[in-house]
Amino acid sequence: MCDPPPAPSGAILDLINSDPEAQSSEYRLSKPVCAACHRKIDLIGKGLSAYNVYGERDPNVTVDATQGTLDGYPDSDFSGPAALAREARETGRLPECLARHALTWLYGRGLTETDDPALATVLRDFKNSDFRFKEALAKYFTSEGFLYRKVDAQ
């Protein structure tokens, strides 16, 4: 969880561009070079396909509840947002993942080593707030570290 997929190699891009079948999940899972990543991401995408960006379920979309397991998570039985939340929680990486994404969004750029103290602060406050993310972010937004941070000139 929270690890970005690697960029596709030239060979993968050539395969995608040369074969119209490359867009199907079955095809991607049948090719070892593709399946290395798609075993993880396709199942999540299918499980979330019945939901819009606001988390609202589309009643016109049906999702097979027996889609399978996430690669690397043998007991996952992944089938939708609740299963994704359960898997994320059980890996123990969810708090850091949320904190990283929030700071990336807030700063409008990828994080660097200089952001480690801010990340540690948000993560500490998130845990101390009994994992109430809104409370942790509000505390960070009013901190001296945020209010007086150096902003990159653009």
PDB file of all heavy atoms in Angstrom, residues 32 34 99 151:
ATOM      1  N   PRO A  32       3.746 -12.065 -17.679  1.00  0.00           N
ATOM      2  CA  PRO A  32       4.512 -11.862 -16.446  1.00  0.00           C
ATOM      3  C   PRO A  32       5.052 -10.440 -16.279  1.00  0.00           C
ATOM      4  O   PRO A  32       5.033  -9.894 -15.173  1.00  0.00           O
ATOM      5  CB  PRO A  32       5.644 -12.872 -16.551  1.00  0.00           C
ATOM      6  CG  PRO A  32       5.094 -13.951 -17.426  1.00  0.00           C
ATOM      7  CD  PRO A  32       4.202 -13.237 -18.419  1.00  0.00           C
ATOM      8  N   CYS A  34       3.755  -7.709 -17.211  1.00  0.00           N
ATOM      9  CA  CYS A  34       2.649  -6.821 -16.834  1.00  0.00           C
ATOM     10  C   CYS A  34       2.066  -7.214 -15.470  1.00  0.00           C
ATOM     11  O   CYS A  34       1.720  -6.354 -14.658  1.00  0.00           O
ATOM     12  CB  CYS A  34       1.537  -6.884 -17.874  1.00  0.00           C
ATOM     13  SG  CYS A  34       2.028  -6.458 -19.544  1.00  0.00           S
ATOM     14  N   ALA A  99      -0.729  10.443   5.680  1.00  0.00           N
ATOM     15  CA  ALA A  99       0.045  11.646   5.988  1.00  0.00           C
ATOM     16  C   ALA A  99       0.872  12.069   4.777  1.00  0.00           C
ATOM     17  O   ALA A  99       0.931  13.255   4.441  1.00  0.00           O
ATOM     18  CB  ALA A  99       0.939  11.399   7.201  1.00  0.00           C
ATOM     19  N   VAL A 151       8.326  28.387   1.203  1.00  0.00           N
ATOM     20  CA  VAL A 151       7.532  28.042   0.040  1.00  0.00           C
ATOM     21  C   VAL A 151       8.395  28.251  -1.193  1.00  0.00           C
ATOM     22  O   VAL A 151       9.043  29.282  -1.356  1.00  0.00           O
ATOM     23  CB  VAL A 151       6.249  28.908  -0.044  1.00  0.00           C
ATOM     24  CG1 VAL A 151       5.457  28.580  -1.285  1.00  0.00           C
ATOM     25  CG2 VAL A 151       5.417  28.731   1.206  1.00  0.00           C
TER      26      VAL A 151
END
